Amino acid sequence: MKTISIALDGPAASGKGTLARRLAADLGLRYLDTGSLYRAVGVATLQAGGDPGDPAAATKAAETLDIAKYSPADLRSEAAGNAASKVAAIPSVRAALLDYQRRFAAQAPGAVLDGRDVGTVVLPQADVKIFVKADFEVRLARRVAELRAGGQTIIESRVREDMAARDARDSNRSVAPLVPADDAWILDTSAMNADQAFTAAKAHIASKLNA
Ligand code: C5P
């Protein structure tokens, strides 16, 4: 039986994670949050006393990563997200994580992967590619609400600065920058709630898979 692969890329707090998880459950596919791999490498580098921007320290963390050691709570903080976007700019870190992602996607019945470069680099042959975007202010409001709901005390101006810095790093890095694949379908969730985004994405996927 052919496996199905669905790539969902987009910037921080675009809604891609919630959408990808829900699509995977609905379609009976496996789900991989590829950002959690970069977050875990960032956290592991910091825990080892290293600097996430240091290629040697970050590459060592990536090559010896045991993803099972990290709970979602360890990985969802802004600090983890920032460390992630620093290690993610290092080519040897990306190379170390590539195989894991491809092997995950290749297992039956297939998978939904969300990230930044799934449609462009990890799975260029994905059956469906969706690039999820939303206006900066909308994403900021979502991220603030998400962090507060998780019980974190945050300063909104700091989250704003961090998100802008992360957007810039992710979009401008030389390796696997955040850009839609040429054949990606663009879903702008700025004016959509989670249900509306799900309905739109599901219709698109059905049209691609049945084409
Ligand atoms: O999606 P999430 O916010 O968890 O990703 C954290 C960071 O990991 C991103 O800012 C990005 O720098 C990096 N990342 C990446 N490629 C991916 C997924 C995440 O570079 N496929």
Side-chain angles (χ1 to χ4, degrees):
M1 197 181 92
K2 185 188 174 306
T3 57
I4 292 172
S5 55
I6 299 180
L8 255 93
D9 292 301
S14 54
K16 65 184 188 308
T18 306
L19 179 59
R21 200 170 284 114
R22 200 162 155 188
L23 288 169
D26 184 74
L27 297 165
L29 298 175
R30 304 165 74 237
Y31 168 62
L32 179 63
D33 165 9
T34 66
S36 69
L37 303 175
Y38 292 92
R39 286 171 178 266
V41 172
V43 170
T45 308
L46 291 171
Q47 282 174 348
D51 169 2
D54 170 23
T59 305
K60 185 169 173 217
E63 286 174 348
T64 55
L65 185 70
D66 177 5
I67 186 69
K69 268 184 25 196
Y70 301 89
S71 70
D74 296 332
L75 303 179
R76 287 324 302 174
S77 70
E78 278 303 277
N82 278 320
S85 87
K86 290 180 186 159
V87 302
I90 300 170
S92 48
V93 168
R94 304 199 72 85
L97 299 179
L98 195 54
D99 242 28
Y100 178 89
Q101 297 173 75
R102 287 187 175 153
R103 272 188 280 114
F104 186 97
Q107 287 170 46
V112 179
L113 271 66
D114 79 52
R116 301 290 187 288
D117 64 337
V118 180
T120 49
V121 176
V122 181
L123 304 174
Q125 310 300 335
D127 296 293
V128 185
K129 297 180 187 179
I130 302 178
F131 190 88
V132 187
K133 65 179 196 178
D135 297 342
F136 182 84
E137 294 299 328
V138 172
R139 293 191 288 117
L140 178 67
R142 285 179 190 158
R143 178 48 53 86
V144 166
E146 181 194 348
L147 292 169
R148 290 205 170 117
Q152 295 189 44
T153 310
I154 49 123
I155 302 168
E156 192 170 327
S157 59
R158 275 292 302 277
V159 180
R160 176 185 289 276
E161 277 169 32
D162 285 351
M163 191 181 266
R166 191 132 72 90
D167 276 2
R169 260 198 308 271
D170 289 352
S171 302
N172 300 329
R173 68 183 177 217
S174 54
V175 20
L178 172 66
V179 282
D182 290 341
D183 51 351
W185 179 68
I186 311 285
L187 177 63
D188 186 340
T189 67
S190 302
M192 291 183 180
N193 62 29
D195 285 348
Q196 290 166 326
F198 173 71
T199 304
K202 211 183 143 173
H204 173 72
I205 291 168
S207 75
K208 290 293 279 186
L209 294 182
N210 297 327

